[in-house]
Amino acid sequence: MSDGLIDPRASTLFYVVAAIGLCLAAWCARSDLRLHTVPVAALVTALIFALHTVAVPILPGVSGHVVGAAIAAILLGPFVGALSVAIVLTVQSFVFADGGLSALGANVTNMALAAVAAGFLVAVALRVLLERRHSSSTLVCVLVCAAAGFVSVFAATAGFIVEYALGGATVTPLENVAYLFAVHIPVALVDGIVTALVVGAVARLHPASVFLFGEPDVPDRTARRSRSLLLTGLAFAALVTAGIVSPLGASGPDALEAATLRGCSAGPDSDTGECMARRVEEHRFAGSALAGYTVGDRPGSDGAAAVIGTLGTFVVAGICFRLLAPRERKRTTVTAA
């Protein structure tokens, strides 16, 4: 969501909602984080950022990207997952001028809180249902991840509808709402497929790193080797996605922008009553060095900008998660003389 899409009162309200939600998530995340799990959580966050930079064509002239809320929820848990997506959104807004500063609270509310919660709840419920039917573990993983990714996208979309209803520029026609949900169907399908692929790969390399399916991490030599392989794989996937796949993405407005621009025949500033984006403002950091996912607005630099953002997100997430992770007490042994 861009600046001006909802009015200042609604923006303030959802900043408060986001702040409360993230504070609760941070408090609860302390029980899910350990110092040795921080690198995995930081790399998953970096991978989600990289996936956000890949624009997938979903309709003629319209693109979409993976939200990653279900990936974060299933791999990291609902609390660490919410913080992970919030870190991605914050880096995008402040560094890449992607997502308005005034709308950051609303974006965090619908993508980091609502989408993560919906994805995790669906994943838990479907896993219990399928396991009662004695389905194979592979089938359970695929169906659970695909459904969680699909539902999480629509949870974020529904969150936007609520936010716009409370502070939007105009009364939204029902046909625009229907179009908004319709155009997000292919986005949700892509998100479900990518979620299944990512979680399936992590589960194969190091099952203990999957919060939803994982077993307790046994610190033996085999587990350490598989965990090292997982860290390498996540880093490689994030950098390849950002540096190679991202520049190959589609151009044009994303699904949300396309929906909000419907009825704006004369541009966002049109007085047409159906134009949802008629009050949209230019981002305050639109002239920054990495705005628009380019380096200094140079042509062909989008891959480099995405890699810089991926590495920066990894550092920010690593610092945040390390500060939250409880310190492990060293065991001391007393020997009798």
Side-chain angles (χ1 to χ4, degrees):
M1 294 173 59
S2 303
D3 287 319
L5 202 54
I6 57 176
D7 62 36
R9 288 185 300 176
S11 296
T12 302
L13 170 63
F14 287 106
Y15 254 108
V16 174
V17 172
I20 294 173
L22 292 180
C23 286
L24 291 174
W27 178 264
C28 297
R30 292 177 58 83
S31 61
D32 297 333
L33 280 171
R34 296 292 181 272
L35 287 178
H36 71 279
T37 65
V38 166
V40 174
L43 283 171
V44 169
T45 305
L47 177 60
I48 292 172
F49 175 90
L51 290 171
H52 274 221
T53 66
V54 180
V56 181
I58 55 174
L59 289 174
V62 181
S63 64
H65 65 78
V66 172
V67 175
I71 295 175
I74 294 173
L75 291 181
L76 307 178
F79 305 118
V80 180
L83 298 176
S84 173
V85 178
I87 290 171
V88 171
L89 295 173
T90 303
V91 172
Q92 288 178 317
S93 182
F94 280 90
V95 180
F96 294 90
D98 185 11
L101 298 179
S102 64
L104 181 58
N107 287 328
V108 167
T109 299
N110 59 38
M111 297 177 70
L113 299 182
V116 169
F120 186 76
L121 291 175
V122 167
V124 171
L126 189 56
R127 178 195 178 192
V128 172
L129 178 63
L130 291 175
E131 288 183 344
R132 286 181 178 176
R133 297 188 176 186
H134 305 288
S135 303
S136 67
S137 58
T138 302
L139 179 62
V140 169
C141 182
V142 171
L143 292 180
V144 164
C145 294
F150 188 87
V151 171
S152 67
V153 172
F154 283 104
T157 306
F160 165 75
I161 293 296
V162 172
E163 292 161 356
Y164 193 85
L166 291 175
T170 182
V171 176
T172 308
L174 186 59
E175 60 191 42
N176 278 21
V177 176
Y179 177 83
L180 181 66
F181 278 100
V183 79
H184 276 89
I185 292 176
V187 178
L189 291 173
V190 171
D191 200 294
I193 293 171
V194 173
T195 300
L197 291 174
V198 172
V199 175
V202 173
R204 182 174 292 274
L205 289 174
H206 193 241
S209 292
V210 183
F211 182 91
L212 186 65
F213 300 104
E215 300 175 355
D217 193 359
V218 180
D220 58 12
R221 182 176 300 177
T222 303
R224 286 194 295 269
R225 187 182 301 113
S226 63
R227 183 171 171 274
S228 298
L229 186 61
L230 171 63
L231 294 174
T232 303
L234 286 172
F236 179 79
L239 293 175
V240 168
T241 300
I244 298 178
V245 181
S246 176
L248 302 177
S251 58
D254 63 19
L256 178 61
E257 186 179 0
T260 56
L261 287 174
R262 280 174 63 86
C264 305
S265 56
D269 297 327
S270 170
D271 292 331
T272 304
E274 296 180 357
C275 181
M276 298 172 68
R278 62 180 176 179
R279 294 181 185 170
V280 166
E281 305 167 0
E282 186 179 22
H283 200 287
R284 296 177 186 177
F285 296 155
S288 62
L290 295 174
Y293 298 97
T294 60
V295 180
D297 203 23
R298 295 186 180 90
S301 62
D302 42 355
V307 169
I308 293 171
T310 300
L311 294 174
T313 301
F314 169 73
V315 172
V316 172
I319 293 173
C320 293
F321 293 145
R322 187 172 181 83
L323 291 174
L324 285 175
R327 298 294 179 266
E328 298 176 358
R329 296 179 179 178
K330 295 182 179 180
R331 296 181 178 180
T332 57
T333 55
V334 179
T335 57

